[in-house]
C-alpha cells in the first residue's frame, strides 16, 4: 500500500485561458504561477482552502465539449471534481447570483449537493455539510 497523505493538485484541460481563469477566480482561486500555458504547461491556481488546480492548455479539439460526460459513448477518465463547502444554501445563492448554471442537484440524508460546469463543461460538484458522499453511498448500498 502507498502511504498517500492527500491530493496535491488536479489538472484540468481548458480551451479558453481568460474565461477559465475568470471562472476559477470567481470561485476564490488565485493564479500563483504560469508554468507556460501556451506550451501545454499549467496555470497554477490556489484556493484559500488549500485546493490546488492546474489549468492546462490549450485544448486542441472539441473546445467547450466534455467528452466524458456529454457524449453517448462513455470514455474512461475523471468525470468531475467534488469539493466540500461550508454552507449549501450560501453556495447555491452565490452560484445563482453570479450567473453560473446549476446542472444537477441531489439531497440525501440532509447533505445537499449541486453540480456546476466551468467554461469547458468540466463538472464541479459542490457538497454541503453533512456526512461524506462516500459514507452516504455506502450506507445507501449496504443499508
Amino acid at each position: 500500500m502507498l502511504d498517500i497523505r492527500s491530493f496535491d493538485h488536479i489538472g484540468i484541460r481548458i480551451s479558453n485561458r481568460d474565461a477559465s481563469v475568470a471562472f476559477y477566480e470567481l470561485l476564490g482561486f488565485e493564479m500563483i504561477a504560469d508554468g507556460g500555458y501556451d506550451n501545454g504547461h499549467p496555470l497554477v491556481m490556489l484556493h484559500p482552502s488549500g485546493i490546488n488546480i492546474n489549468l492546462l492548455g490549450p485544448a486542441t479539439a472539441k473546445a467547450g465539449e466534455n467528452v466524458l460526460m456529454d457524449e453517448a459513448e462513455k470514455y474512461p477518465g475523471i468525470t468531475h471534481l467534488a469539493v466540500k463547502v461550508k454552507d449549501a444554501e450560501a453556495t447555491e445563492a452565490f452560484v445563482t447570483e453570479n450567473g453560473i448554471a446549476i446542472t444537477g442537484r441531489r439531497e440525501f440524508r440532509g447533505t445537499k449537493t449541486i453540480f456546476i460546469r466551468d467554461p469547458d463543461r468540466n463538472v464541479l460538484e459542490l457538497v454541503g455539510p453533512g456526512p461524506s458522499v462516500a459514507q452516504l453511498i455506502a450506507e445507501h448500498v449496504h443499508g
Side-chain angles (χ1 to χ4, degrees):
M1 176 174 78
L2 291 177
D3 187 9
I4 296 173
R5 302 301 169 111
S6 65
F7 274 101
D8 184 76
H9 67 276
I10 187 163
I12 303 171
R13 175 87 49 211
I14 60 170
S15 62
N16 182 317
R17 174 189 174 131
D18 293 338
S20 293
V21 168
F23 176 84
Y24 287 101
E25 284 178 339
L26 180 63
L27 300 183
F29 287 85
E30 176 187 357
M31 185 167 25
I32 61 169
D34 178 346
Y37 173 81
D38 292 330
N39 295 314
H41 301 294
L43 300 172
V44 180
M45 299 195 73
L46 187 61
H47 191 271
S49 66
I51 295 172
N52 172 353
I53 60 173
N54 288 190
L55 301 180
L56 299 159
T60 58
K62 297 199 173 199
E65 296 181 37
N66 184 324
V67 297
L68 294 177
M69 297 296 286
D70 297 337
E71 295 192 6
E73 292 185 60
K74 297 302 175 197
Y75 298 92
I78 296 171
T79 60
H80 65 285
L81 169 65
V83 296
K84 199 80 164 169
V85 297
K86 180 179 179 180
D87 183 316
E89 287 78 16
T91 297
E92 184 166 344
F94 174 86
V95 165
T96 302
E97 289 165 7
N98 284 284
I100 301 169
I102 296 172
T103 58
R105 67 176 62 247
R106 76 172 57 121
E107 182 174 350
F108 187 70
R109 275 198 40 224
T111 300
K112 295 179 180 179
T113 299
I114 60 173
F115 296 84
I116 62 174
R117 302 264 185 132
D118 77 0
D120 283 294
R121 299 192 47 76
N122 295 302
V123 178
L124 284 82
E125 180 178 0
L126 308 176
V127 182
S132 71
V133 172
Q135 181 181 347
L136 293 169
I137 292 171
E139 289 174 1
H140 178 72
V141 170
H142 300 297

